Amino acid sequence: MLKVRTVEPEERWFEDFHEGQEFPVITRGPMMVGHQVRWAGACDNYESEFHHDEYVARAQGLPGIILSGPLMASYLLTAVTQWLGRHARLVRFFDQNRGPTMPRDMAHLHGRVRRAYEQDGRCLVELECWITNQRGEVTTPGSALAELPRRPGGGR
Amino acid sequence: MGAIFEDVEIGQEIPRLVKGPITTAHIVRWSAAMENWHRIHFDWHYATQHDGLPDVLVNGSWKQHVMIQLVTDWAGETGWAWKIAFRFRGMNLPGETLTAWGRVTGKEERGRFGVVDLEIGLRNEQGAEGTPGTARVVLPRRGGPPVPYPFDPAVLAG
Amino acid sequence: MTAEISDAEIEKHLASLIGPVGEPVTALVEFGAVRRMALAIGDLDPIHFDEAAARARGYRGIVAPWPLLWLYFFTCTEYEHDFPFGRATVHGQDEYEFHEPMIVGDRITVTTAITGARLKHGRVGRLGQVVSERRFVNQDGALCAVLKTTLFRR
């Protein structure tokens, strides 16, 4: 197989995060049917035909193809792992499928630190994250909790 | 078991293989399995408005594999589908039911085996031939050994 | 037809859903599947593609991106439910809990249960809410992840 051009996440430590910190917005899109088809292939799941068939989607009363909720959530989860860097270990993730994402929609991935705290000797970062489309509508609100190591040797 | 050389007659049709109706799920699944992301197979807007097609298209490579299945099913465990060739003459769309068919056009004894030539194709319900082709199959003789696997054309010499 | 069924009957049906769903199913974490998922979600971290890179980061081998849970969700578990009421089922929300990473070559056993099912009355009428929980455990018995999926029926 062709070698994939990989990108190592940044090196970040617990001390790099503080309450209220906003992460740089990551923009994906325009989302296309191809993204959905790749997702369906990765999940080996083609059951819900409105995800890939324009006629079926319209026959079911939808305005057109709707991209899968877990696909959008997976983009958001991936953004979280990028923001938190290579040493972070995700502990929890939550998302809601609030509004549809359709082909040609943009997906802007947002994140903000809710809390950075220590508990039982663990260093934890809790954040809220969400996806907005090109109209500014929140399609996928979510949250995450991750554990991070302290910067070796201390200090900044 | 598969076909036996002595039973094959020129002009004879081999058992057909029917697939369909083809849905977009079949097409999308094939695209994903092949990791072929050409948009004419799944992006209806692109297919119809950019490429001016009547709908998304059934994948040509899928159609080839239906015809390979037609021939390997007939060759069976004891024969060998040796060569197969196709031309893409017509497109096929979701909703169509496709029938793969084959007809014997020639046969020849070759050593302890027999070689059979087939004309093959893939028709929709309207009878439109979208993927005409040819195939060459090696079959065992009656009472003879199965075609060895892996197949080596040298066995046809002796 | 669906208008005929009473709230009590719906609640009885929903209550009957609670409990294990099917048998545990085991799947192999395949490199091709990991690569395909990582590319599908645009996660280009080398730990999903390159064994040396993954080991350098302290992992046992190539690491599956967490969304690969969805492959096992769809291929190893029953995820559709019959409802005796309503017209449409919506995949509402998901809650993930992560533990031991899933590594290429691992054998992951998935166990499914319905853990919650109730009927609510919203502004637009009846709303059924069914929570299913899938637990993903590796060949050493280590819990890798728990995925809680909420379906809404209206």
Side-chain angles (χ1 to χ4, degrees):
Chain A
M1 280 184 276
L2 292 175
K3 192 167 163 53
V4 172
R5 190 171 298 201
T6 55
V7 183
E8 186 108 21
E10 300 282 322
E11 180 148 86
R12 297 206 173 102
W13 310 97
F14 176 64
E15 290 82 354
D16 294 331
F17 300 97
H18 60 268
E19 188 183 322
Q21 179 178 349
E22 302 254 357
F23 296 114
V25 175
I26 297 173
T27 293
R28 298 295 189 100
M31 302 304 304
M32 302 302 282
V33 189
H35 294 101
Q36 173 62 36
V37 170
R38 276 194 166 228
W39 169 257
C43 294
D44 196 16
N45 172 50
Y46 310 87
E47 287 295 315
S48 296
E49 301 205 77
F50 64 86
H51 283 319
H52 59 253
D53 190 311
E54 196 72 28
Y55 290 105
V56 170
R58 289 179 188 191
Q60 291 180 358
L62 299 168
I65 284 173
I66 307 288
L67 275 73
S68 164
L71 164 60
M72 303 313 295
S74 296
Y75 279 133
L76 193 55
L77 185 153
T78 301
V80 170
T81 62
Q82 286 178 21
W83 289 321
L84 295 181
R86 71 180 74 153
H87 301 303
R89 297 262 180 154
L90 270 186
V91 176
R92 278 205 309 268
F93 182 79
F94 171 79
D95 72 272
Q96 260 185 330
N97 302 314
R98 184 178 291 173
T101 301
M102 298 185 61
R104 276 163 284 281
D105 279 353
M106 298 302 289
H108 304 292
L109 315 175
H110 305 258
R112 183 192 299 132
V113 176
R114 203 181 270 159
R115 267 202 310 163
Y117 61 104
E118 283 189 68
Q119 192 176 59
D120 306 325
R122 299 164 81 199
C123 299
L124 298 165
V125 175
E126 189 185 317
L127 58 89
E128 54 194 321
C129 49
W130 65 98
I131 304 178
T132 57
N133 62 20
Q134 66 277 15
R135 293 179 294 276
E137 297 154 345
V138 177
T139 61
T140 316
S143 61
L145 180 70
E147 185 172 0
L148 278 102
R150 285 189 168 280
R151 182 183 300 281
R156 302 220 135 181
Chain B
M1 281 302 289
I4 302 293
F5 180 71
E6 282 79 0
D7 296 338
V8 174
E9 289 173 25
I10 290 175
Q12 167 196 343
E13 205 184 319
I14 68 172
R16 296 176 174 196
L17 181 63
V18 180
K19 299 275 184 179
I22 312 301
T23 67
T24 51
H26 293 107
I27 299 173
V28 163
R29 186 170 209 138
W30 182 264
S31 295
M34 298 287 284
E35 304 208 15
N36 174 348
W37 310 116
H38 197 319
R39 290 161 68 184
I40 56 170
H41 298 305
F42 49 76
D43 189 328
W44 181 82
H45 288 276
Y46 182 88
T48 58
Q49 285 159 48
H50 182 275
D51 274 19
L53 298 166
D55 200 336
V56 294
L57 298 190
V58 176
N59 316 70
S61 51
W62 180 83
K63 296 194 277 186
Q64 290 188 345
H65 275 264
V66 171
M67 291 162 74
I68 290 170
Q69 189 185 345
L70 168 85
V71 176
T72 53
D73 281 357
W74 185 63
E77 292 293 309
T78 51
W80 184 252
W82 181 16
K83 294 182 180 183
I84 191 156
F86 328 78
R87 278 184 300 128
F88 293 127
R89 185 198 283 165
M91 53 192 170
N92 296 101
L93 308 179
E96 291 186 17
T97 295
L98 300 175
T99 301
W101 61 273
R103 197 175 57 81
V104 177
T105 55
K107 57 179 291 191
E108 186 189 0
E109 290 177 19
R110 295 279 295 275
R112 299 153 76 198
F113 304 98
V115 172
V116 175
D117 284 321
L118 300 168
E119 177 188 6
I120 56 175
L122 192 64
R123 284 191 196 118
N124 65 12
E125 304 100 305
Q126 281 74 45
E129 181 56 66
T131 318
T134 57
R136 178 164 284 187
V137 180
V138 185
L139 294 179
R141 307 279 298 273
R142 182 169 305 289
V147 179
Y149 175 81
F151 173 70
D152 178 357
V155 301
L156 301 177
Chain C
M1 173 184 125
T2 53
E4 312 294 331
I5 191 165
S6 70
D7 283 2
E9 285 172 303
I10 290 174
E11 277 161 2
K12 194 174 159 201
H13 173 85
L14 290 175
S16 75
L17 296 176
I18 305 272
V21 180
E23 297 291 313
V25 174
T26 300
L28 174 68
V29 180
E30 296 171 300
F31 172 66
V34 167
R35 182 183 192 275
R36 199 173 297 123
M37 177 54 79
L39 289 174
I41 59 174
D43 186 340
L44 300 177
D45 190 332
I47 62 171
H48 308 311
F49 299 91
D50 178 2
E51 176 144 7
R55 288 187 185 279
R57 293 251 297 273
Y59 294 99
R60 292 182 282 119
I62 293 177
V63 182
W66 286 118
L68 196 67
L69 294 171
W70 289 104
L71 171 65
Y72 308 125
F73 176 101
F74 286 115
T75 57
C76 299
T77 79
E78 293 171 36
Y79 53 89
E80 284 180 341
H81 311 287
D82 289 328
F83 292 94
F85 69 103
R87 290 187 303 119
T89 307
V90 177
H91 186 155
Q93 60 188 46
D94 292 294
E95 200 177 328
Y96 306 66
E97 189 185 300
F98 305 115
H99 299 272
E100 176 69 18
M102 300 190 296
I103 304 295
V104 167
D106 280 0
R107 291 189 174 274
I108 303 294
T109 298
V110 194
T111 312
T112 308
I114 306 280
T115 55
R118 59 199 182 115
L119 181 66
K120 300 206 287 194
H121 293 275
R123 272 183 297 123
V124 286
R126 287 163 164 171
L127 179 70
Q129 186 179 318
V130 173
V131 180
S132 58
E133 182 180 290
R134 287 167 182 79
R135 299 177 72 82
F136 303 80
V137 175
N138 73 13
Q139 64 283 352
D140 301 323
L143 179 64
C144 294
V146 182
L147 176 57
K148 283 182 198 157
T149 295
T150 304
L151 299 181
F152 295 119
R153 178 72 174 186
R154 46 172 72 96

